[in-house]
Amino acid sequence: MRLLPSSHKFFYKHLASYMILLLLPLLVLGGVIYLNFIRSFQEEILAANLNKLDRARSIVDAELQQLQNIGSQITLRQIDNHYRFLDKPLGALDIIKDLNNYAVTNSFFSEIFLYYRGDQYLYSSTSSISLEMMNQRVSKYPSWSHEDFVEELNSLSAPKVRPAEWIIPEISKGEQVRTVTFMYPLTVSGLNPNRTLLLQVPEQSITKLLLDVNNQHAGNSYILDEHNQIIASLLADENLPPEKWLDHVSDSRFLTSSIELDNQTYLLSCVKSDQTDWKYVTLIPQAQALQKVSTAKLAFLSTASLLLLLGAVVVGISLNITTGPFMS
């Protein structure tokens, strides 16, 4: 085995010592910068996701407030119009006109109905409809029987929301639409409710507000009511039933956490509304949500490796120049 000449040993010895001097500060400084940069970048991405979710919450809250305002306005405008359809059929035209004005100026809901309790008819934005016709030919709720429908119209004492369900809004067309139904009892001077307002909101009117949250990720978005019942959802992965992740949702105003589901890590983000106590939840694969962080990590490591290589070349050239006469 041939031994290296002493001159070469001298060169490599000094090269190694200079590389250590170059490597140590680079590792320490680079490590500190790397950890702080990646942590800050990750926090920025998570905060941006929460901000998008909170913006969607704010818009939905505003739309729900508009629905409540419609009920209040109807109560004020028709405070003296306490008559049933059969008592004054022509008076229905004024009610229908009012309802149509609300329907034309608000695209959030698809249809509005007003029912005077004890009557056999209810009013829509286009006509008056008998209760029998309502659930048979106008807006059919497959999971809501006619008897339960009529009972709820006459006995509702507090606002209620029926979660998104398939209904047939126009029987003649036979097309099903997932719809969220809002019901409000209307009172006069705080007395017992004498009318019920019913508004049909297509689920798409709600979930489209969540599209901005998931526009870069294949994740799921949910809106839960105060009882953690899913009101509407936007699903990219249908293999994530609520029982798998619902226990991780808390009553915190803002929440971000990582959870394991089916051997995969997901990023769960949640924003709670102070106005309705509803929760807005997104569930995104963490690898997708933090893809930019992974890209930044790779870029940082590549840059550090390149700097180390360039430093080695510069040190080698410098040593070769300074030790050249000695080696020769």
Side-chain angles (χ1 to χ4, degrees), residues 30-102:
V32 172
I33 295 175
Y34 173 81
L35 291 177
N36 282 278
F37 170 74
I38 294 302
R39 186 183 298 112
S40 299
F41 192 27
Q42 181 171 319
E43 291 175 353
E44 182 180 336
I45 290 176
L46 298 181
N49 191 58
L50 276 178
N51 286 337
K52 289 181 180 180
L53 198 56
D54 192 49
R55 187 161 58 248
R57 186 273 316 158
S58 176
I59 297 173
V60 175
D61 277 0
E63 293 290 357
L64 297 184
Q65 186 61 52
Q66 285 295 320
L67 298 186
Q68 290 184 331
N69 291 343
I70 289 175
S72 300
Q73 292 169 11
I74 289 176
T75 298
L76 293 174
R77 288 173 60 84
Q78 300 182 25
I79 193 168
D80 297 324
N81 296 342
H82 299 268
Y83 51 76
R84 300 179 182 180
F85 176 77
L86 294 179
D87 296 334
K88 194 176 180 182
L90 293 179
L93 297 177
D94 293 332
I95 299 177
I96 293 170
K97 181 180 178 181
D98 283 345
L99 296 180
N100 184 63
N101 288 336
Y102 291 118

Side-chain angles (χ1 to χ4, degrees), residues 131-148:
L131 293 177
E132 289 288 343
M133 291 283 288
M134 172 65 182
N135 210 14
Q136 291 180 4
R137 297 187 181 181
V138 179
S139 286
K140 183 173 180 59
Y141 286 81
S143 60
W144 200 3
S145 69
H146 174 70
E147 293 75 17
D148 291 341

Side-chain angles (χ1 to χ4, degrees), residues 238-309:
E238 297 184 358
N239 296 319
L240 295 174
E243 54 268 19
K244 288 187 177 182
W245 52 265
L246 202 51
D247 290 340
H248 297 277
V249 177
S250 70
D251 287 330
S252 301
R253 180 69 174 84
F254 295 99
L255 169 69
T256 298
S257 63
S258 296
I259 61 175
E260 293 287 334
L261 300 176
D262 299 331
N263 299 320
Q264 186 174 356
T265 303
Y266 288 85
L267 180 66
L268 186 147
S269 300
C270 178
V271 172
K272 182 181 178 183
S273 168
D274 293 331
Q275 175 181 314
T276 62
D277 284 337
W278 284 15
K279 301 180 185 73
Y280 299 77
V281 180
T282 59
L283 204 59
I284 303 171
Q286 184 167 288
Q288 291 187 21
L290 302 180
Q291 179 63 43
K292 291 183 178 179
V293 175
S294 298
T295 302
K297 286 181 179 180
L298 181 60
F300 186 90
L301 293 174
S302 299
T303 303
S305 300
L306 180 59
L307 289 175
L308 182 61
L309 179 60

Side-chain angles (χ1 to χ4, degrees), residues 122-174:
L122 50 73
Y123 306 97
S124 74
S125 62
T126 57
S127 64
S128 56
I129 311 155
S130 70
L131 293 177
E132 289 288 343
M133 291 283 288
M134 172 65 182
N135 210 14
Q136 291 180 4
R137 297 187 181 181
V138 179
S139 286
K140 183 173 180 59
Y141 286 81
S143 60
W144 200 3
S145 69
H146 174 70
E147 293 75 17
D148 291 341
F149 174 72
V150 175
E151 171 66 21
E152 195 124 45
L153 288 178
N154 283 283
S155 63
L156 187 71
S157 59
K160 181 178 179 180
V161 181
R162 286 181 64 89
E165 59 191 319
W166 290 104
I167 74 167
I168 307 175
E170 295 183 57
I171 304 299
S172 59
K173 295 183 179 180

